Amino acid sequence: MSRGDVLLSVEHLSKTYRGQGGRPAHKALDDVSLELRASETLGIVGESGSGKSTLARVLVRLTGADSGRADYCGVDLLRARGADALFLTRQIQIVFQDPNSSMNPRRTIRQALLEAARVAEHPPADIQGSLARMMEAVGLSREKLDAYPHQLSGGQRQRVAIARALAVSPRVVVADECVSALDVSVQSSILNLMLERQRELGLAYVFISHDLSVVHHMSDRMIVMRSGRIVEAGNPSEIMRNPQDPYTRELIASVPGSGFRAA
Amino acid sequence: MTATIDFDAPASPSASVAADGSLRRIVRGVPWPLLAAVALFFVAGAIGLVFLVAPDLKPLVFKQSLMRAFSAPLSRGGFLGADQLGRPLEWRLLAGLGISLGAAAAVTLIASVLGLAMGLLGGFFGLTADRLVTVVIDLTWAYPTILLAVVIAGILGPGVWTVIWALGLTLWAALARIVRAQVLVLREQDFVLAAQALGYSRFYIATRHLIPNLMPIVILMATLFVALTIIAEAGLSFIGLGAQSPTPSLGKTLAEGFSFASSSIWPLVFGALTMISLVIVLNAFGDRVRDILDPKGRVPLPGRRLRDAARRAEAALPARAVDRDAVIAVDDVSVAIHGRRGATTAVSDLSLTLRPGQTLGIVGESGSGKSLSARAITGLLPEGLSLSGGRVFWDGVDIAGLPAEKLRDRRGRFVAMVFQDARASLDPLYTIGEQVSESLAAHFPGPRRSFRPKVLEMLARVGLSDPEIFYDRYPHQLSGGQLQRAALAGVLVLEPRVLIADEPTTGLDATTQKKIVALVKALQREMNMSVIWISHDLDLVGEIADEIVVAYAGQPVEIGTVEEVLKRPAHPYTLGLLESRPQATMAPKSPLRSVGGTVPDPGDWPPACRFAPRCRRALAICGTTPPPMELFDEGSGRRLRCYNPEPGAAEAGA
């Protein structure tokens, strides 16, 4: 399969969270359709309540959907069981937002990576050696393997989270706000790391963030979501230059520093 | 005690304890006399159990008339005297300790295993299981232990085992509830989701990821269960459901001592003393364990060494006369963290002036000391921190000279603060209106109701349209943006001269952030207020500030107008921060510039320039001599702490 082939296709996906304790039902996804092609980055930008995280969870099967279709290379993502489920696990992995909770505080980095590496289709023969290589690939020294998460900085933990996702050799990585909790200087090094890994491994990313400038920078194609719906989709630079939806225009106007940057 | 300090950087391995086993932490953290007392009781209990079963020793406990009935203490043949049947009291109490502690251990085991299992079942194994478990827990709570004891006594007959089962089968519910609540939090943690995304089974995740993280709670509850069982056993034995004669549980000894108190007071006194001291020791132990295992108490005080070689670097500068017209003037302030091994400097060389109506932005990464700087300005440093040097002037008055009472009264009306987490700064039990009134009531006399018009006006001014409705709303009914508006109303109603905004829009949506920034700007103009805006986002600060302070590792490194700092950054760190942000003008997917490395912890600051190890323009001198804060640009008054400024900044002079 080469660059440009459709890996993941989602059609008319909807999901409603039932309201509890008198709260009204909440439509997290409302008729969402999208495609992800091999080796590309699909950026999804949206604010709280836009449904972007629900979408991320559906893609890695942490939650189901009410209606619609989602399939990956012909495998039904919403109904996969057994061998199909294992196949999807090995193909699609996720990196989460919070570097503080992305690692079990009571287990070492080695244990965390081992847990992921065991899921891979062809676990490397020399698994300990491969853990060291995984660490080096995300810019960490192998000595850190025996550290506990609290001994690492937020940026380092996020690097480990990326290494864990890559340990099963996936073709798709869903990044759900993976740099939102980091300082700008750390954020840029993580983004660089993701771009490097993508070039080298031919990964496809679903890159989700509330930060328009970050999504714009990372994406080949971009989707703007609001209240569970896709309000705009297309080429990132095109959207920034010529936004069609009023909400997209509001988002662009809300990026701080536009005044100084333009000058 | 350091929960409020924002040090994101990792703690050094030696200082951190989070990953150690809970038991090891307890042994290390509990003072040794307490640990010894607990050990002593348990060893005595174990010996007591041996006395109950060993054929040679049993007579000491059970044989009647070894001594004269009701022998006094220290009488012939007995140390504590004898009970109503002439059995030596010391052996009876020793055996009683064994029975009571043995029963406590059994109850704790039953309740812990059952509570952990049920809590996990409810929290992690689906909705149906959860409903079932919740019903069982509620039923157990509703069911009095005594009633259960009567039922079990009907089956097993009264005795120690009845006590064990009655307590074990009720106390578990307390643990199950807490475990379930904790699991509901844990299961949303990213590491649990990540394990699920890797396809691991629920059982695997529960045993490998959840249970290790639940152990502190289980141990915590276990210490409570032991003490509770001791007391409950006494109660049940007293009413005849517990240990039966001649079994000498502590409760039974106490009950018999009570019955025969008119003949000899000693069995009652010694029984009570044993029990009271045991329960006190167990409770004190439990308290310490709670302190040690409570995740909030776990953060070690950062830093160890006081290293302030660079501290006096600014002394080289001629002492600046403090600007008496400034609303706030800060002169060479430093803040120290007091830890177990002495003090560590967390902020140093902080000098700045804030003029009426001006907005000052303080920018830096986490760990740069920007929040602590703001706290120092308000004279409100968290526990464990103190002003270790320099002076802070409000309207020309040194606040160190103000009595605490006066400072507190002035603070609310002079300087107000809003924080990142507006929800945390509002009390969930009071309405928005009540909380804004509260601010007024703290400073002005009169009944709360009389403040209502003023409060309504303030709510309208912060953009909560329909103030009558928002007056009666509770914090949980408001969105993030509305909460921040309510928090602003709560402090601005006192019409302070200065507003300190500590990352008030971090975590809010970009569109909401823009509205809050616009609101603060408008209110600032209306109220002629000065603002200090703290943020990690240089671009955002550029939107609101007149002047920017770039902070790094507890020190200002560049201070200048927004125009100068953002367009022609002089400090390599400032430029690094600016270049780290992706720009719409850049080619998508091109590599971003980035400042490698992380901010060092207080105590680990490099001796000369603190930024030198991460700096791409560092010279030899940067590693040997601390750079002073010097005037960089005469015209704009920009000040800089750098030997080798960015070349682009020099154009400023032209």
Side-chain angles (χ1 to χ4, degrees), chain A residues 3 18 20 39-41 46-49 57 60-62 86 89 92-94 96-107 112 114-119 148 150-154 156-157 164 168 180-189 191-192 195 198-199 210-211 213-214 216-220 236-237 240 247 250-251 253-261 263, chain B residues 8-14 16-22 25 127 131 188-200 204 208-210 212-216 298 364-367 370 508-515 536-537 539-540 542-543 562-563 566-567 573 576-595 597-599 614:
Chain A
R3 186 185 165 92
R18 264 169 298 167
Q20 279 181 336
S39 309
E40 75 161 357
T41 302
E47 300 192 322
S48 44
R57 288 181 174 214
V60 291
R61 298 176 304 116
L62 285 173
L86 186 59
T89 295
I92 310 175
Q93 271 302 311
I94 185 161
F96 292 101
Q97 167 178 9
D98 188 355
N100 294 319
S101 84
S102 58
M103 300 279 130
N104 186 339
R106 288 168 192 282
R107 310 191 84 200
L114 213 53
E115 188 175 88
R118 279 206 305 261
V119 176
Y148 283 92
H150 70 274
Q151 293 167 329
L152 305 183
S153 69
Q156 289 171 332
R157 276 189 292 241
R164 176 175 58 192
V168 301
S180 305
L182 304 174
D183 277 318
V184 278
S185 56
V186 183
Q187 172 179 304
S188 61
S189 65
L191 295 179
N192 284 343
L195 290 170
Q198 179 170 46
R199 268 195 299 277
H210 70 284
D211 187 331
S213 6
V214 171
H216 169 258
H217 187 78
M218 295 297 285
S219 309
D220 297 298
S237 306
M240 295 295 267
Y247 177 69
E250 194 187 342
L251 267 187
S254 299
V255 175
S258 22
F260 269 99
R261 298 296 196 172
Chain B
D8 203 35
S12 78
S14 64
S16 49
V17 286
D20 289 2
S22 303
R25 266 160 50 211
L127 213 58
R131 292 215 174 110
E188 287 302 310
Q189 298 273 301
D190 291 347
F191 66 86
V192 175
L193 293 175
Q196 272 179 282
L198 284 168
Y200 283 101
Y204 173 93
R208 297 298 172 85
H209 289 290
L210 298 182
N213 283 293
L214 293 167
M215 277 332 275
R298 195 187 293 156
E365 293 172 89
S366 347
K370 50 194 194 304
L508 295 179
D509 285 331
T511 46
T512 315
Q513 165 169 287
K514 194 180 164 81
K515 287 172 193 151
H536 65 278
D537 187 343
D539 286 318
L540 176 67
E543 297 255 299
V562 165
E563 189 74 18
L566 289 190
K567 280 198 183 162
Y573 179 61
L577 284 183
L578 276 169
E579 285 185 342
S580 298
R581 293 268 317 153
Q583 299 305 322
T585 47
M586 295 173 72
K589 306 189 91 163
S590 58
L592 295 160
R593 293 291 284 272
S594 108
V595 191
T598 50
V599 186
R614 297 174 71 187

Side-chain angles (χ1 to χ4, degrees), chain B residues 528-551:
Chain B
N528 190 27
M529 192 167 59
S530 305
V531 174
I532 295 180
W533 190 289
I534 300 167
S535 175
H536 65 278
D537 187 343
L538 255 176
D539 286 318
L540 176 67
V541 168
E543 297 255 299
I544 187 161
D546 304 309
E547 200 170 32
I548 292 186
V549 178
V550 181

Side-chain angles (χ1 to χ4, degrees), chain A residues 50-260:
Chain A
S50 63
K52 57 192 194 307
S53 286
T54 303
L55 180 62
R57 288 181 174 214
V58 172
L59 294 183
V60 291
R61 298 176 304 116
L62 285 173
T63 187
D66 299 338
S67 62
R69 278 177 7 87
D71 76 40
Y72 176 86
C73 297
V75 178
D76 185 345
L77 206 89
L78 300 175
R79 280 165 206 85
R81 291 283 176 276
D84 280 350
L86 186 59
F87 168 73
L88 291 173
T89 295
R90 287 170 174 163
Q91 293 285 308
I92 310 175
Q93 271 302 311
I94 185 161
V95 179
F96 292 101
Q97 167 178 9
D98 188 355
N100 294 319
S101 84
S102 58
M103 300 279 130
N104 186 339
R106 288 168 192 282
R107 310 191 84 200
T108 61
I109 304 307
R110 184 188 298 281
Q111 288 173 309
L113 290 182
L114 213 53
E115 188 175 88
R118 279 206 305 261
V119 176
E121 191 173 3
H122 307 291
D126 169 24
I127 200 147
Q128 295 298 342
S130 84
L131 292 187
R133 283 194 296 281
M134 282 177 208
M135 291 293 272
E136 274 150 24
V138 294
L140 292 173
S141 73
R142 61 177 71 196
E143 282 79 54
K144 294 267 193 280
L145 272 174
D146 292 307
Y148 283 92
H150 70 274
Q151 293 167 329
L152 305 183
S153 69
Q156 289 171 332
R157 276 189 292 241
Q158 217 51 340
R159 285 170 186 269
V160 176
I162 291 171
R164 176 175 58 192
L166 297 183
V168 301
S169 314
R171 296 195 59 193
V172 176
V173 172
V174 179
D176 186 9
E177 296 275 14
C178 70
V179 294
S180 305
L182 304 174
D183 277 318
V184 278
S185 56
V186 183
Q187 172 179 304
S188 61
S189 65
I190 296 290
L191 295 179
N192 284 343
L193 171 68
M194 291 183 69
L195 290 170
E196 279 164 32
R197 295 298 90 190
Q198 179 170 46
R199 268 195 299 277
E200 189 179 315
L201 305 171
L203 294 167
Y205 288 138
V206 178
F207 190 92
I208 299 173
S209 175
H210 70 284
D211 187 331
L212 185 60
S213 6
V214 171
V215 174
H216 169 258
H217 187 78
M218 295 297 285
S219 309
D220 297 298
R221 289 184 304 121
M222 187 162 99
I223 284 173
V224 182
M225 285 186 75
R226 186 188 197 186
S227 310
R229 268 205 300 275
I230 294 178
V231 297
E232 187 149 2
N235 176 291
S237 306
E238 193 60 39
I239 291 180
M240 295 295 267
R241 248 197 320 274
N242 187 16
Q244 297 301 309
D245 188 84
Y247 177 69
T248 313
R249 280 197 283 275
E250 194 187 342
L251 267 187
I252 293 173
S254 299
V255 175
S258 22
F260 269 99

Side-chain angles (χ1 to χ4, degrees), chain B residues 290-604:
Chain B
R290 203 160 320 147
D291 287 346
I292 294 163
L293 296 185
D294 185 352
K296 277 189 228 123
R298 195 187 293 156
V299 186
L301 282 169
R304 286 140 297 281
R305 300 178 298 280
L306 178 67
R307 193 195 294 181
D308 58 357
R311 159 96 177 77
R312 284 289 142 198
E314 219 169 350
L317 277 177
R320 286 181 313 113
V322 170
D323 186 351
R324 297 260 160 188
D325 296 332
V327 185
I328 286 181
V330 177
D331 184 30
D332 198 20
V333 154
S334 47
V335 175
I337 304 171
H338 300 277
R340 274 177 233 125
R341 287 177 231 173
T344 314
T345 306
V347 171
S348 69
D349 314 297
L350 179 69
S351 295
L352 44 89
T353 49
L354 182 68
R355 283 180 290 279
Q358 188 197 20
T359 302
L360 192 66
I362 304 183
V363 182
E365 293 172 89
S366 347
S368 60
K370 50 194 194 304
S371 290
L372 280 187
S373 303
R375 299 285 289 257
I377 294 169
T378 61
L380 257 186
L381 283 166
E383 187 85 4
L385 283 87
S386 73
L387 211 65
S388 51
R391 291 179 303 171
V392 177
F393 298 88
W394 293 355
D395 268 343
V397 178
D398 188 344
I399 62 168
L402 291 175
E405 192 63 31
K406 206 163 172 189
L407 181 66
R408 195 173 330 132
D409 185 52
R410 275 199 72 173
R411 186 181 295 126
R413 286 193 269 175
F414 185 80
V415 48
M417 282 190 93
V418 284
F419 303 93
Q420 174 176 347
D421 190 356
R423 195 176 296 279
S425 65
L426 295 167
D427 189 327
L429 295 179
Y430 293 91
T431 66
I432 301 303
E434 283 167 342
Q435 298 192 50
V436 179
S437 311
E438 188 65 38
S439 303
L440 286 169
H443 294 275
F444 301 102
R448 303 278 150 103
R449 240 172 298 113
S450 66
F451 301 132
R452 191 180 168 96
K454 194 156 185 202
V455 172
L456 288 175
E457 186 205 323
M458 196 64 229
L459 291 179
R461 280 173 85 178
V462 295
L464 293 172
S465 47
D466 265 332
E468 295 275 357
I469 291 174
F470 279 104
Y471 190 98
D472 293 318
R473 287 244 167 110
Y474 288 91
H476 73 269
Q477 296 170 308
L478 270 58
S479 71
Q482 288 168 339
L483 280 169
Q484 199 54 273
R485 286 170 193 271
L488 278 167
V491 296
L492 295 185
V493 72
L494 293 168
E495 300 183 6
R497 304 274 311 279
V498 179
L499 172 68
I500 297 182
D502 189 354
E503 304 248 11
T505 61
T506 305
L508 295 179
D509 285 331
T511 46
T512 315
Q513 165 169 287
K514 194 180 164 81
K515 287 172 193 151
I516 297 284
V517 168
L519 172 71
V520 170
K521 272 182 169 173
L523 290 171
Q524 178 179 22
R525 261 195 312 276
E526 274 175 46
M527 305 171 77
N528 190 27
M529 192 167 59
S530 305
V531 174
I532 295 180
W533 190 289
I534 300 167
S535 175
H536 65 278
D537 187 343
L538 255 176
D539 286 318
L540 176 67
V541 168
E543 297 255 299
I544 187 161
D546 304 309
E547 200 170 32
I548 292 186
V549 178
V550 181
Y552 182 78
Q555 212 178 27
V557 294
E558 180 166 5
I559 303 180
T561 62
V562 165
E563 189 74 18
E564 294 277 322
V565 173
L566 289 190
K567 280 198 183 162
R568 286 179 293 276
H571 201 286
Y573 179 61
T574 315
L575 184 66
L577 284 183
L578 276 169
E579 285 185 342
S580 298
R581 293 268 317 153
Q583 299 305 322
T585 47
M586 295 173 72
K589 306 189 91 163
S590 58
L592 295 160
R593 293 291 284 272
S594 108
V595 191
T598 50
V599 186
D601 282 343
D604 291 328

